[in-house]
């Protein structure tokens, strides 16, 4: 603000005043020197002198620090000389005003000394300037008409003077009319405003239709309220500094290219700049009382600053070059504007023109000179409401989008962390195996890079709204048309939700991101129930690392598309993965894998590569293994279901039957199934336990058997000898037949 | 039926050494696991089937790793199963990475450890660039050595390290060891210009190892043959030669010779039959035999190429001939 003020009041204008004062002082002192004695005279020039003196003092006090402000001493020539011709003209004007006021009451003889006086004065100011002024004065001085009115006229129109169509080329010297309030020079050929600085009561000055090229000579007319300079040749708004009471300023039909030097006109109500060469509107601050601004027929492309005009009611912008509402958007901020015209601008041709203007400027009562009707207003408001809704909707959308993005980022972070931890763990496990620890950096790079932190791009409105979302979920479920997208393992729980039949039926694509594949496997039975129409599965960042993991997908009801994003799924880097999928999931008759159509050749290739595996698996597996594997698969599914929804045995059973049926359809590869790591480890534990038992059992059995065997062997060894001994004993016993018979008889009788 | 060793040991130890107990334990475990189903078709039938599958080498399909590596016979069976199932992949000419081979292994054995695959790949790739592509046969033979002689190779690696550091491998007392030690040290002093260790010294250590080793070792004669051909060698150089040696492969008896690696007429025939069904994309039900009906299952089993391959070399294959075991357990 301060530099602007400096500029507008400017050192130049201060100089003007200084120099003007300088001259006035001279002129006022000259009469004494030359003894051209007029009492009236003496007083009147001194009056403005005093005024200016006063002005000067004020200027001095306000600008003491400014080096450019110079004392009126002739020694300080350089700065005087440096001033432009504009200034010198102004000096001249001041001089003339002074001299003419002198000569107005004297006879013609006075003019010569006055000439010399001026010359002297100018001389003291500087040789260059004096040369100019001599010319000017000598050429124009003789032609200044001196106006005198009869006393009746003076009495009749004591405060007004009209010199319309007088073919004047210069302003005449008007003498003895200090109380004039209204002066009219319409339709003359005046090129310069001159000889009126003594009319200090002037309120109304009309110079319409002349040939004035510059606003000048008005600095003393401090009470001027109406200044009409229409249809002249003015190129620049200037020298209005002292006209602080100006109420109406008409500059239409000139060659002004820029609005400037008007900011101090705080009482100005009407400003007419129609038919000029303005290319834009700005620099309007300070015009606090302006109610009407006419800017018709310029070349305006944009309007600014209008919202700084608190009283503006009427604004005429017809026939300009405004083509978008954005370039005049400040109008919407004006609360006082009630009447505006845009006709003759490109903008007025647009279909949206009327309702856009009306909706943005609800206070408007007239548009393009037509009353704004209620109907129009209503229409505009309807359109506006619609647009507002659209905007809000889009904002909501983008808010949601942003929330989604943030959540996904968050999920990605979690995932990343989890992966790194897992990697570290496995690396620790494999420490002694000296495996190249390339995995962590690989996964790190692949997971973080596609999700850069670019929150900076968000609208300010959205960010403010997002602050409410600071607690971000670690998972995200999104239904978009026929696609169900799940981010983060927590999202899998959403499958337990009660989906409406319609939604569930519509879902044909299910996409998993940032979820461990093993976790997905466990919800596949649920997926099958909840979304019976899902045909397309998408996996991204799911840690698909092994071909056997695809086995798990075989349990689905149907599927004709599979998309496995290479990101976070190393299995896709394998040359064989696609064929394996085709082979293992051949019962689905897949249409597309990763967006590529499956061809007959692919199918044959898949069979060629893995057919034997299936054959071996199905035909060479011993019966007992087959039973146990298929049984396992069934049990596994059963268990997943039990874990998740044990309360509904009906469905479980049905599902179990279903899986049996499926297994039946596909026996030849059903043995190729996938058990999640966790489950498999559990199973291994179980196996260990059972094996331990078996081992003990067999050990015992074996011990027993070997012992029995040993005893048997020992017996076998002893038996021949034993037999001989036994026989020998028997023979010895029966050798004496008589005694033996006796003995036997004795035994029989004893028994009785 | 009763070999001389049979009488030299207590029964229990003999059975344990011959892994009979392992199979019996496993059989009981299987029985335990599926007792409802098995009791339906008879326990005698189950045992018959079980030991038949052990003979044929199909018992290891989709089993846990601890079982697969439990006996040399299981290892050989797994190698054979791997070859049979994925021969077509090799035939197709695809070069695969270590991880992809690992995935294939995991299709047959879900908890197959990555470490073993990595070690096998290291044999092929000579310990550098683990992401390189390998041909099927290269990988298969390297994997055979690594998998079958896993424990032996670990010991060899330790010995090699010791030799490299100039240390005398512990508890090995060889007459020439002191001189070997002296020779080794200057070799190291020359900033490792001659890479690896000296072959003859290495052989002595290995010989000693094989004597003590309770796990299976490659035939010493063949090791000697390999080592006698060179002056010095590196660990992976040794393994590489070992894996490419046809004699070792024959001794193992699990895989055909390198030249015949892609040949498996019985399976090719089967494959043709399967392929014939593909063009129509007919449902699998009509295509493949139901596992439940024995007639369709038995023929391929009988025609399984395990036996013809196995028998001729029976003399120098692993001493625990599976036939013996089955006979024994059935009596």
């Amino acid at each position: 603000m301060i530099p602007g003020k400096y500029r507008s009041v400017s050192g130049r204008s201060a100089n003007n005043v200084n120099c003007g004062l300088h001259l006035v002082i001279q002129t006022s002192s000259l009469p004494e020197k030359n003894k051209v004695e007029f009492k009236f005279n003496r007083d009147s020039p001194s009056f403005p002198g005093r005024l200016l003196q006063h002005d000067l003092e004020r200027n001095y006090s306000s600008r003491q620090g400014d080096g450019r402000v110079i004392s009126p001493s002739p020694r300080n020539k350089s700065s005087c000389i440096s001033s432009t011709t504009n200034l010198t003209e102004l000096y001249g004007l001041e001089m003339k005003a002074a001299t003419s006021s002198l000569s107005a009451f004297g006879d013609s003889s006075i003019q010569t000394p006055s000439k010399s006086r001026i010359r002297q004065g100018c001389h003291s100011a500087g040789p260059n300037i004096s040369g100019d002024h001599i010319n000017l004065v000598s050429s124009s001085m003789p032609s200044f008409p001196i106006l005198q009115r009869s006393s009746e006229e003076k009495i009749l129109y004591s405060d007004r003077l009209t010199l319309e169509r007088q073919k004047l080329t210069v302003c005449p010297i008007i003498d003895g009319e200090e109380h004039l309030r209204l002066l009219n020079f319409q339709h003359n050929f005046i090129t310069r405003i001159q000889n009126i600085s003594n009319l200090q009561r002037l309120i109304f000055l009309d110079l319409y239709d002349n040939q004035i090229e510059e606003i000048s000579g008005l600095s003393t007319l401090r009470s001027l309220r109406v200044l009409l300079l229409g249809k002249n040749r003015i190129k620049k708004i200037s020298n209005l500094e002292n006209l602080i009471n100006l109420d109406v300023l008409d500059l239409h039909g000139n060659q002004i290219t820029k609005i400037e030097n008007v900011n101090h006109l705080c009482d100005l109500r009407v400003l007419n700049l129609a038919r000029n060469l303005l290319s834009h509107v700005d620099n309007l601050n300070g015009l606090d009382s302006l109610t009407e601004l006419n800017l018709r027929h310029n070349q305006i492309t944009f309007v600014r600053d209008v919202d700084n005009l608190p009283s503006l009611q009427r604004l005429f912008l017809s026939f300009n070059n405004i083509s978008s509402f954005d370039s005049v958007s400040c109008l919407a901020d004006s609360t006082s504007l009630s009447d505006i015209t845009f006709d003759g601008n490109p903008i007025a041709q647009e279909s949206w023109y009327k309702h856009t203007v009306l909706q943005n400027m609800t206070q408007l009562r007239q548009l393009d000179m037509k009353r704004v009707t209620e109907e129009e207003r209503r229409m505009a408001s309807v359109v506006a409401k619609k647009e507002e809704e659209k905007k809000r909707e889009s904002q909501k959308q983008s808010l949601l989008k942003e929330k989604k993005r943030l959540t996904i980022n968050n999920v990605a972070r979690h995932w990343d962390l989890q992966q790194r931890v897992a990697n570290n763990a496995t690396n620790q496990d494999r420490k002694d195996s000296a495996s190249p620890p390339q995995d962590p950096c690989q996964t790190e790079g692949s997971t973080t890079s596609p999700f850069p932190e670019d929150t900076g791009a968000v609208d300010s409105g959205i960010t403010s709204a997002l602050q409410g979302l600071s607690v971000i979920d670690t998972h995200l479920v999104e239904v978009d048309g026929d696609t169900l997208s799940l981010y983060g393992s927590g999202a899998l729980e959403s499958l337990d939700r009660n989906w409406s039949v319609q939604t569930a039926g519509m879902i044909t694509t299910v996409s998993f991101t940032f979820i461990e594949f093993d976790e997905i496997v466990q919800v596949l039975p649920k997926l099958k129930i909840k979304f019976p129409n899902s045909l397309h599965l998408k996996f991204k960042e799911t840690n698909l690392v092994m071909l056997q993991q695809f086995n798990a997908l075989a349990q689905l009801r149907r599927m004709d598309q599979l998309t496995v994003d290479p990101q976070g799924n190393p299995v896709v880097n394998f040359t064989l993965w696609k064929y394996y999928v085709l082979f293992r999931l051949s019962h689905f008759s897949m249409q597309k894998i990763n967006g590529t159509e499956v061809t007959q050749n692919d199918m044959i290739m898949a069979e060629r590569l893995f057919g034997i595996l299936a054959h071996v698996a199905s035909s060479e597996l011993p019966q007992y293994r087959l039973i146990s594997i298929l049984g396992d698969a069934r049990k596994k599914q059963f268990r997943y279901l039990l874990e998740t929804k044990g309360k509904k045995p009906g469905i479980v059973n049905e599902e179990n039957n279903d899986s049996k049926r499926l297994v039946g359809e596909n026996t030849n590869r059903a043995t190729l199934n996938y058990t999640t790591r966790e489950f498999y480890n559990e199973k291994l534990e179980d196996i260990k336990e059972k094996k331990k038992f078996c081992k003990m059992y067999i050990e015992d059995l074996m011990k027993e058997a070997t012992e029995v065997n040993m005893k048997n062997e020992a017996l076998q060894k002893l038996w021949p000898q034993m037999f001989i001994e036994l026989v020998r004993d028997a023979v010895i016993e029966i050798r004496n037949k008589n005694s033996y018979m006796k003995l036997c008889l004795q035994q029989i009788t004893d028994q009785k | 039926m009763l070999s001389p060793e049979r009488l030299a040991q207590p029964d229990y130890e003999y059975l344990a050494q011959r892994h009979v107990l392992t199979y019996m334990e496993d059989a009981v475990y299987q029985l335990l696991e599926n007792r409802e189903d098995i009791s339906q078709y008879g326990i005698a039938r189950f045992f018959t089937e079980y030991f038949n599958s052990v003979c044929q080498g199909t018992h290891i399909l989709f089993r846990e790793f601890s079982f697969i590596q439990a006996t040399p016979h299981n290892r050989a069976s797994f190698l054979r199963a791997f070859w049979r199932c994925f021969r077509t992949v090799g035939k197709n000419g695809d070069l695969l990475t270590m991880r992809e081979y690992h995935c294939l292994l995991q299709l047959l054995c879900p908890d197959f450890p990555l470490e073993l695959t990595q070690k096998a790949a290291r044999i092929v790739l000579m310990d550098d660039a683990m992401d390189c592509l390998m041909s099927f046969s290269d990988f298969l033979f390297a994997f055979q050595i690594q998998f079958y002689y896993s424990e032996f190779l670990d010991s060899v690696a330790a010995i090699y390290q010791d030799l490299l550091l100039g240390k005398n491998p512990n508890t090995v007392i060889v007459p020439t060891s002191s001189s070997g030690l002296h020779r080794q040290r200057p070799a190291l002093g020359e900033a490792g210009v001659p890479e690896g260790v000296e072959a003859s010294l290495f052989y002595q250590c290995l010989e000693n190892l094989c004597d003590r080793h309770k796990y299976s070792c490659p035939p010493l004669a063949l090791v000697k043959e390999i080592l006698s051909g060179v002056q010095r060698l590196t660990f992976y150089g040794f393994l590489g030669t070992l894996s490419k040696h046809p004699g070792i492969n024959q001794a193992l008896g699990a895989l055909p010779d390198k030249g015949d690696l892609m040949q498996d007429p019985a399976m090719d025939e089967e494959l043709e039959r399967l392929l014939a069904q593909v063009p129509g994309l007919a449902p699998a039900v009509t295509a493949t035999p139901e596992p439940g009906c024995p007639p369709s299952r038995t023929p391929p089993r009988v025609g399984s190429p395990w036996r013809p391959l196995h028998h001729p070399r029976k003399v120098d294959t692993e001493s625990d001939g599976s036939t013996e075991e089955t006979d024994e357990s059935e009596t």
Side-chain angles (χ1 to χ4, degrees), chain B residues 11-305:
Chain B
D11 301 328
Y12 183 78
E13 275 171 40
Y14 173 79
L15 290 175
Q17 198 209 343
R18 293 300 149 103
H19 306 291
V20 178
L21 292 182
T22 313
Y23 292 111
M24 284 175 73
E25 274 163 29
D26 189 55
V28 172
Y29 164 70
Q30 295 290 339
L31 184 60
L32 193 64
E33 221 18 23
N34 311 293
R35 51 189 179 279
E36 294 97 353
D37 294 311
I38 289 170
S39 59
Q40 279 171 17
Y41 70 92
I43 288 176
R45 180 76 217 142
F46 161 71
F47 276 110
T48 317
E49 236 180 63
Y50 180 81
F51 288 105
N52 264 336
S53 73
V54 171
C55 282
Q56 284 156 6
T58 56
H59 62 303
I60 44 77
L61 288 171
F62 312 115
R63 289 299 301 270
E64 62 277 1
F65 180 71
S66 59
F67 179 68
I68 286 175
Q69 60 142 27
T71 71
H73 172 66
N74 285 2
R75 294 185 189 194
S77 307
F78 182 74
L79 284 169
R80 188 162 176 77
F82 181 72
W83 165 70
R84 290 180 67 208
C85 288
F86 300 114
R87 180 181 54 90
T88 43
V89 173
K91 206 173 173 180
N92 194 39
D94 288 331
L95 298 178
L96 307 180
T97 61
M98 181 272 291
R99 287 198 176 267
E100 201 156 3
Y101 282 117
H102 182 65
C103 268
L104 295 182
L105 287 168
Q106 280 190 322
L107 286 176
L108 290 179
C109 168
D111 61 340
F112 201 89
L114 182 66
E115 200 188 329
L116 266 181
T117 325
Q118 277 174 336
K119 282 181 174 174
R122 230 166 262 158
I123 295 175
V124 180
L125 303 168
M126 294 293 173
D127 203 18
D128 49 35
M130 287 299 281
D131 297 335
C132 284
L133 297 168
M134 297 170 269
S135 79
F136 182 73
S137 69
D138 282 351
F139 176 79
L140 185 62
F141 285 117
F143 176 70
Q144 164 170 261
I145 295 292
Q146 180 59 54
F147 180 56
Y148 196 85
Y149 298 124
S150 181
E151 293 82 1
F152 172 75
L153 291 190
D154 287 347
S155 307
V156 171
I159 288 171
Y160 179 80
Q161 278 307 319
D162 282 352
L163 282 179
L164 211 58
L165 292 172
K167 259 195 289 181
N168 194 10
N170 50 349
T171 74
V172 182
I173 301 131
V174 196
T176 54
S177 69
S178 59
S179 62
L181 207 69
H182 286 305
R183 260 180 286 142
Q184 184 61 36
R185 269 179 187 146
L188 258 178
E190 291 160 27
V193 175
E195 215 187 357
V197 296
E198 214 220 331
S200 62
L201 180 63
F202 192 46
Y203 174 68
Q204 276 161 9
C205 296
L206 292 191
E207 195 175 32
N208 202 301
L209 178 70
C210 286
D211 288 344
R212 288 175 301 124
H213 212 271
K214 58 183 178 342
Y215 298 101
S216 31
C217 311
L220 255 182
L222 293 174
V223 175
K224 191 171 187 176
E225 183 193 320
I226 291 168
L227 289 176
S228 62
V230 287
Q231 272 296 311
R232 307 186 67 82
L233 82 174
T234 62
F235 180 61
Y236 285 107
F238 171 62
L239 296 192
T241 331
L242 206 61
S243 68
K244 283 177 194 130
H245 198 282
I248 302 270
N249 183 37
Q250 271 171 20
L252 262 170
L255 305 177
D257 290 338
K258 194 168 180 176
D260 300 332
L261 198 62
M262 298 307 164
Q263 307 299 313
D264 191 357
M267 273 298 153
D268 280 340
E269 210 172 280
E270 195 60 45
L271 187 60
E272 283 311 314
R273 204 171 58 75
L274 286 171
L275 282 176
Q277 291 149 9
V278 173
L281 296 176
V285 193
T286 53
T288 43
E290 283 287 317
C293 51
S296 59
R297 259 178 69 233
T298 1
R301 218 198 257 180
V302 172
S304 152

Side-chain angles (χ1 to χ4, degrees), chain A residues 602-618:
Chain A
D602 288 337
M603 295 298 289
I604 291 175
M605 191 62 188
E607 197 63 29
R608 195 177 280 286
L609 285 174
F610 294 104
I612 290 183
L613 176 69
H615 176 72
V616 166
S618 64

Side-chain angles (χ1 to χ4, degrees), chain A residues 348-465:
Chain A
Q349 309 293 319
E350 304 285 350
S351 57
W352 44 261
Y353 160 68
K354 199 160 191 171
H355 64 248
T356 307
V357 172
L358 287 180
Q359 95 192 31
N360 281 289
M361 292 184 270
T362 45
Q363 77 282 10
L364 221 55
R365 273 183 288 161
Q366 262 191 321
L367 175 60
D368 295 337
M369 312 307 276
K370 274 178 253 160
R371 257 198 107 65
V372 177
T373 64
E374 273 313 302
E375 182 61 28
E376 280 170 330
R377 217 184 284 277
R378 205 163 35 240
M379 279 281 288
S381 82
V382 165
V383 173
K385 217 175 275 171
K386 250 185 232 166
E387 222 138 279
E388 184 67 23
E389 243 161 63
K390 214 190 278 171
K391 201 170 151 193
R392 213 176 304 140
E393 186 61 29
S394 79
Q395 184 147 354
K396 214 166 106 192
Q397 284 288 326
S398 54
L399 186 70
L400 276 177
K401 225 182 251 172
E402 183 55 22
K403 186 184 172 183
K404 181 182 153 191
R405 198 186 64 80
L406 280 183
T407 310
I408 291 175
N409 261 350
N410 193 39
V411 173
R413 233 185 336 265
H414 271 262
W415 172 257
D416 194 27
L417 212 69
Q418 195 184 321
Q419 293 304 299
R420 229 173 295 172
V421 168
N423 265 322
N424 284 347
T426 50
N427 273 4
Q428 223 116 49
D429 285 353
R430 283 189 237 138
K431 222 181 220 166
D432 40 15
S433 76
S435 67
Q438 61 201 8
D439 298 14
C441 12
Q442 261 181 8
T443 44
E444 210 177 302
S446 65
T447 48
T448 50
S449 61
F451 298 98
E453 299 289 312
D454 51 354
T455 11
V458 192
D459 285 6
S460 59
I462 296 174
T463 30
S464 65

